[in-house]
Amino acid sequence: MIQRLLLVGCGKMGGALLTGWIDRGMALEVAVVEPMPASSAAFAGRAGVSLHASAATLATEPWPEAIVFAVKPQSMDEVVPAYSRFVHPGTVFLSIAAGKPIAYFEMRLGAAARVVRAMPNMPAAVGRGMTVLTANKAVAPEQAKLADGLMAAVGEVAWVADEGLMDAVTAVSGSGPAYVFLLIECLAEAGRAAGLPQELALQCARATVAGAGELARLASEPAGVLRQNVTSPGGTTAAALGVLMAADGLQPLLTRAVAAATQRGRELA
């Protein structure tokens, strides 16, 4: 149980995190800083949750064990400096902002700040997210464990020691849901082109992608084995995979897409 936690930003991702923490009973006290009342209204009156319009109304003591920045990257410049007064050996700063490296927070909070950078993705909103984390050298083992637990409330977690990998993480899992949504769109359109009614094509595509994803999550076999299990020699699936697995098929296309997203992440950082 965390004694005191600050959540800065209560939009979709911040709200999803807060819901996960409340459901798991992870924090005795959570102070939410959100200037837009409508965004945090759902949490008004919840036991242990206090709502604040700005950092100015927050007391530094007792020191929060964690401060989570869940605001948009473009808002960080005006938000982060207000929390430099919370820098303390017992407080870890956890950011979920894409494209903001640890050095960004050290520059604005001070070199003594204990900072963890996290890259979650949209499925965190339904408790099925994927988050990769990395920390600066000041973060103590118990603080890394705390950050791990906070993000595990909305899905799976993993760590990397090399922060340089975070751009690739963003390209694969951070942006990845958009690729899957595009797959649903394209599969539905292909079904419509093959003669299916539009609504049925979309229903088939959405349910198939969701079901296959859940099967992959629960299966002990790798995705390649699952693919082979669906593919009968000379059958319909094999005919389709002959196109998708060709030299100019899905793999080189996704490789180029992830490379483009990775490069853009480096440019933004």
Side-chain angles (χ1 to χ4, degrees):
M1 170 84 61
I2 303 169
Q3 294 301 306
R4 188 180 184 213
L5 172 65
L6 302 188
L7 174 63
V8 184
C10 198
K12 291 182 179 179
M13 190 63 73
L17 287 168
L18 182 54
T19 298
W21 300 335
I22 291 173
D23 290 346
R24 294 191 176 197
M26 295 184 67
L28 187 64
E29 177 190 345
V30 182
V32 180
V33 181
E34 174 52 64
M36 303 293 290
S39 297
S40 56
F43 301 99
R46 296 293 294 266
V49 178
S50 61
L51 305 181
H52 304 262
S54 75
T57 58
L58 295 172
T60 55
E61 297 184 9
W63 292 99
E65 292 164 71
I67 298 176
V68 180
F69 291 121
V71 300
K72 296 183 183 301
Q74 58 268 32
S75 301
M76 283 290 185
D77 286 354
E78 59 187 72
V79 171
V80 175
Y83 295 87
S84 60
R85 63 191 176 99
F86 288 93
V87 174
H88 182 271
T91 300
V92 62
F93 293 87
L94 171 62
S95 167
I96 65 170
K100 295 297 184 184
I102 288 173
Y104 172 91
F105 296 95
E106 292 173 333
M107 184 179 301
R108 287 157 180 79
L109 296 170
R114 302 177 178 222
V115 182
V116 174
R117 177 184 174 186
M119 185 66 245
N121 61 11
M122 184 183 290
V126 293
R128 289 291 175 83
M130 177 65 210
T131 302
V132 178
L133 306 95
T134 189
N136 69 0
K137 294 181 179 179
V139 174
E142 62 271 17
Q143 292 175 320
K145 184 177 179 180
L146 171 59
D148 189 284
L150 290 174
M151 299 311 301
V154 291
E156 297 185 32
V157 297
W159 287 80
V160 293
D162 180 3
E163 188 183 3
L165 295 176
M166 292 298 281
D167 292 318
V169 166
T170 302
V172 173
S173 62
S175 301
Y179 315 155
V180 177
F181 300 147
L182 177 59
L183 172 62
I184 293 173
E185 291 180 81
C186 292
L187 188 55
E189 176 56 27
R192 187 202 63 77
L196 292 179
Q198 185 170 354
E199 290 187 6
L200 177 58
L202 179 57
Q203 181 182 6
C204 287
R206 183 189 291 120
T208 297
V209 171
E214 183 68 359
L215 180 58
R217 187 182 74 87
L218 297 175
S220 58
E221 304 92 340
V225 172
L226 296 177
R227 169 178 53 77
Q228 292 168 5
N229 291 344
V230 182
T231 309
S232 300
T236 58
T237 306
L241 289 177
V243 176
L244 293 174
M245 298 179 71
D248 61 346
L250 185 59
Q251 183 60 72
L253 182 64
L254 275 177
T255 299
R256 294 199 306 272
V258 169
T262 302
Q263 179 59 34
R264 183 55 179 158
R266 290 170 181 156
E267 293 169 355
L268 291 173

